[in-house]
Amino acid sequence: MDQITALESLATELQEGLNQASSFDDLETLRIAYLGRKGRLAAIMLTLPSLSSEERPLVGQKANQVKERCNALFEKKREELVSLREQSALARFDASLPGRTPGLGSLHPDTLVIEEICAIFEKLGFSIAQGPEVEIDHYNFEALNIPPDHPARDMQDTLYIKDTILLRTHTSPVQVRTMERTKPPLAVVVPGKVYRRDSDITHTPMFHQIEGLMVGDGITMAHLRGILTAFVRGVFGAKTRVRFRQSFFPFTEPSAEVDISCFLCGGKGEVNGEPCRVCKSTGWVEILGCGMVDPAVFASVNYPDTVSGFAFGLGVERIAMLKYGIGDLRLFFENDVRFLGQF
Ligand code: PHE
């Protein structure tokens, strides 16, 4: 019988075809050619009705065997292709490649300096206070003994929101707010943002200050000097010396500006024979303003005239620039992660 011979060679030929196949597409093409609806097995089956009733079951039986055999061959080849694919994926996987590290954020130099300075004052017994950035004239100027015709009140210097509502120009209004709600003795430091109508290489419209205030019985300028010395030695090193220069602020009397001995040249004014770039050869660097709280300020919060106290205010960016050797103030506010990641 031709059908039996044809069926017998079907599986052998399929095996040869499968040996050549190298992809799942090849496999599918072969399946359609051999076992598909119009494939070679189907073609043989179509001839069954023309056979005699003795031949028909023999051929039918043979056809079933061949079909199973073909299915088994396909399955074997499919498994081979699957395992080949896995092996090549493994070969491409390089376990020695370094992983991708996610970028870690870092604290802004302003934040670092604020945290460091506040920590020093907390050890000295100060607590942290805060106040609003949108402030009223009363706290920003009036209660601080800043007269109505003072140039700081000018539209040129202060960012006004309405007639008497403004963006605070310093952290000093928080002195007044703190005293209003606290009886003496007290000691606070106040970190925060302040705003001025100023924009050039050394001024930005927003910057940070830390205010200090200590009030009690018998507080003197000697306490101020002692506290500030401890503070600058904490930030700039134990050998740092402090110098007071007479100055003026409406809310302190007497007032002073404080210089520290230059931390780069140690006060000598030169480094390896070259003029010191930090102190410009003077040996001193200005770092803050301070003074004894003016009695007029105590009066504005109804403190008894028996108390005394000192206050100081410093610029955070200035300290950060000195401490980290940053040459340009604008870098603080450009948010370039290459700059911010260095501290
Ligand atoms: N508020 C002052 C300023 O912004 C600094 C200062 C604070 C001076 C406290 C004396 C006492 O310049």
Side-chain angles (χ1 to χ4, degrees), residues 163-179:
D163 302 344
T164 54
I165 302 174
L166 45 85
L167 293 177
R168 67 179 180 195
T169 59
H170 50 177
T171 41
S172 301
V174 190
Q175 288 186 31
V176 182
R177 289 179 172 275
T178 305
M179 288 191 280

Side-chain angles (χ1 to χ4, degrees), residues 52 69 78 113 144 209 223 235 276 304 325 327 329:
S52 67
R69 170 101 186 100
R78 205 188 60 79
V113 166
L144 287 166
Q209 287 189 333
H223 297 113
V235 176
C276 177
L329 177 66

Side-chain angles (χ1 to χ4, degrees), residues 122-166:
E122 282 186 287
K123 272 194 216 148
L124 293 169
F126 287 70
S127 39
I128 312 289
Q130 283 190 318
E133 288 167 30
V134 176
E135 190 49 283
I136 53 174
D137 185 283
H138 174 76
Y139 289 110
N140 198 79
F141 295 128
E142 186 92 40
L144 287 166
N145 198 33
I146 300 176
D149 57 352
H150 193 277
R153 291 192 169 205
D154 200 304
M155 295 276 289
Q156 301 286 315
D157 298 298
T158 301
L159 290 155
Y160 282 91
I161 289 173
K162 279 190 196 162
D163 302 344
T164 54
I165 302 174
L166 45 85

Side-chain angles (χ1 to χ4, degrees), residues 169-172 175 196 209 211-212 249 251-252 289-291 311-313:
T169 59
H170 50 177
T171 41
S172 301
Q175 288 186 31
R196 287 182 197 177
Q209 287 189 333
E211 191 84 8
F249 299 102
F251 35 91
T252 48
C290 65
F312 60 86

Side-chain angles (χ1 to χ4, degrees), residues 88-100:
S88 80
L90 267 179
R92 271 185 279 119
F93 180 78
D94 183 351
S96 70
L97 272 181
R100 276 184 214 140

Side-chain angles (χ1 to χ4, degrees), residues 167-225:
L167 293 177
R168 67 179 180 195
T169 59
H170 50 177
T171 41
S172 301
V174 190
Q175 288 186 31
V176 182
R177 289 179 172 275
T178 305
M179 288 191 280
E180 266 186 356
R181 58 163 191 263
T182 324
K183 278 196 201 135
L186 63 87
V188 291
V189 278
V190 183
K193 292 183 167 70
V194 301
Y195 301 83
R196 287 182 197 177
R197 263 183 104 124
D198 237 345
S199 194
D200 57 38
I201 314 181
T202 51
H203 298 90
T204 47
M206 184 280 292
F207 60 102
H208 296 79
Q209 287 189 333
I210 297 178
E211 191 84 8
L213 174 70
M214 181 180 262
V215 181
D217 285 335
I219 299 289
T220 70
M221 217 147 176
H223 297 113
L224 172 58
R225 197 182 167 101

